């Protein structure tokens, strides 16, 4: 049986990581132990909720820099992105035929390689930046596949049925990236908001996918959205984080209002709605 492209990359990554893809913890960040880590082990460090964002950024920076000069380290960088790639391919390929899924896999791998080669390495929240770019590319590939299928079935397709993502969603994503860099929300919290608010995934589906309790996800999202809404509403004199947020991702007053509506919890006498 032929392995999918992602399975081939993962297999190569697991095979060479213990011997060829290693980093000394002290050379990456003082938070890590002073010993040699394989990228396979460091991938678990990236996924751990307790890992500081500065450590994640340092690890991405070391790996992406090495990947620009070595084919083996490019496999290592793709191995670090594998949880992201699998999730994006799974969502983008939902309901599509195997040929389209394979095409989306290939396109996303090629897109990810381009991002690894060209991303600004001093960019804050590198991992989340990469996630947003790949996720947007995945949504674009899904739209392409749906349009192509509709054209085959109907001969033509109404543009309104497959219109591009609204500009508001793009503004929201920029604000979430800036909020992660400013320390207002974590990358995991930003991803939770993006998945459930922008991509319209339900908390129930996300709970099933991640294994995290539904109520836990709801509470995390509520706390993160409260901090984000407060930062967006505050003037620069009231909150320095808000200044950092606006400086990191300039947003027009109109867009800021729409983003605030997405992020701000509803104020009413009823309790916070847990259901998405």
């Amino acid at each position: 049986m032929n392995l999918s492209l992602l399975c081939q990359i993962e297999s190569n990554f697991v095979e060479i990581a213990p011997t060829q893809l290693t980093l000394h913890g002290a050379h990456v960040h003082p938070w890590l132990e002073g010993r040699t880590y394989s990228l396979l082990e460091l991938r678990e460090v990236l996924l751990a909720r307790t890992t500081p964002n500065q450590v994640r950024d340092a690890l991405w920076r070391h790996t992406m820099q090495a990947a620009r000069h070595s084919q083996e380290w490019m496999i290592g960088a793709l191995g670090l992105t594998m949880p992201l790639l699998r999730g994006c391919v799974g969502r983008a390929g939902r309901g599509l035929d195997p040929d389209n899924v394979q095409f989306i896999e290939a396109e996303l791998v090629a897109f990810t390689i381009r991002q690894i080669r060209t991303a600004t390495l001093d960019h804050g929240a590198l991992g989340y930046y990469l996630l947003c770019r790949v996720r947007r590319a995945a949504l674009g590939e899904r739209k392409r596949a749906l349009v192509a299928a509709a054209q085959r079935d109907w001969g033509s397709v109404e543009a309104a049925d497959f219109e591009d993502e609204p500009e508001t969603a793009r503004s929201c994503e920029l604000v979430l990236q800036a909020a992660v860099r400013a320390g207002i929300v974590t990358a995991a919290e930003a991803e939770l908001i993006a998945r459930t608010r922008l991509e319209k995934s339900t908390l129930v589906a996300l709970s099933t996918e991640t294994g995290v309790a539904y109520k836990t996800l709801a509470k995390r999202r509520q706390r993160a959205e409260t901090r984000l809404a407060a930062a967006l509403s505050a003037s620069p004199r009231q909150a320095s984080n808000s200044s950092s947020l606006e400086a990191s991702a300039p947003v027009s007053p109109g867009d800021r209002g729409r983003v605030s509506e997405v992020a701000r919890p509803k104020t009413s006498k009823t309790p916070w709605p847990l259901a998405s």
Side-chain angles (χ1 to χ4, degrees):
M1 181 178 67
N2 293 330
L3 293 175
S4 71
L5 179 58
L6 294 188
C7 287
Q8 292 177 38
I9 293 171
E10 176 70 4
S11 177
N12 291 336
F13 174 66
V14 170
E15 181 180 354
I16 68 175
T19 56
Q20 301 181 46
L21 305 176
T22 60
L23 287 170
H24 195 278
H27 295 164
V28 177
H29 194 278
W31 185 84
L32 294 170
E33 297 176 16
R35 62 178 178 85
T36 299
Y37 290 81
S38 76
L39 278 194
L40 190 60
E41 184 178 4
L42 287 171
R43 185 168 68 181
E44 298 303 316
V45 174
L46 277 179
L47 295 174
R49 288 182 55 84
T50 55
T51 301
N53 288 336
Q54 296 88 339
V55 177
R56 292 191 176 96
D57 282 347
L59 176 54
W60 279 114
R61 193 172 295 113
H62 274 73
T63 304
M64 292 169 72
Q65 181 67 56
R68 297 177 180 185
H69 305 284
S70 164
Q71 183 176 352
E72 288 77 14
W73 277 90
M74 180 59 75
I75 293 174
L78 291 174
L80 291 186
T81 65
M82 194 55 61
L84 158 65
L85 285 171
R86 282 176 171 160
C88 287
V89 169
R91 291 191 292 276
R94 190 166 50 242
L96 300 179
D97 61 77
D99 287 342
N100 267 312
V101 173
Q102 289 181 8
F103 184 84
I104 288 173
E105 275 192 353
E107 288 298 305
L108 287 188
V109 168
F111 179 84
T112 303
I113 290 173
R114 290 196 297 272
Q115 295 304 308
I116 291 170
R117 286 175 174 166
T118 60
T120 302
L121 295 184
D122 59 0
H123 192 289
L126 264 175
Y128 187 68
Y129 168 83
L130 188 61
L131 181 151
C132 289
R133 302 282 291 182
V134 174
R135 181 173 55 203
R136 185 175 298 284
L139 292 174
E141 290 301 325
R142 177 171 178 81
K143 290 175 184 176
R144 177 206 56 77
L146 291 175
V147 169
Q151 289 175 334
R152 287 195 303 269
D153 293 342
W154 308 328
S156 63
V157 59
E158 293 294 334
D161 292 337
F162 298 99
E163 61 184 357
D164 288 337
E165 191 175 10
E167 190 62 30
T168 299
R170 296 178 186 273
S171 296
C172 290
E173 194 168 85
L174 286 174
V175 169
L176 286 174
Q177 289 183 35
V180 172
R181 292 196 295 272
I184 296 167
V185 298
T186 66
E189 289 169 338
E191 170 68 355
L192 175 58
I193 294 172
R195 289 284 303 278
T196 58
R197 299 302 194 193
L198 304 183
E199 296 182 15
K200 306 301 183 183
S201 295
T202 65
L203 286 175
V204 173
L206 203 57
S207 175
T208 302
E209 177 184 325
T210 61
V212 179
Y214 166 84
K215 289 185 177 181
T216 299
L217 290 176
K219 290 177 181 178
R220 286 177 185 170
R221 185 177 68 178
Q222 178 187 9
R223 289 194 291 265
E225 288 179 336
T226 298
R227 294 196 304 274
L228 181 58
L232 288 167
S233 300
S235 68
R237 292 182 180 178
Q238 291 173 313
S240 59
N241 277 346
S242 179
S243 298
S244 301
L245 181 60
E246 293 179 12
S248 300
V251 182
S252 68
D255 280 342
R256 187 181 299 113
R258 289 191 290 270
V259 174
S260 296
E261 286 302 312
V262 173
R264 184 179 295 111
K266 307 301 181 183
T267 55
S268 67
K269 294 183 180 179
T270 58
W272 175 261
L274 293 180
S276 294

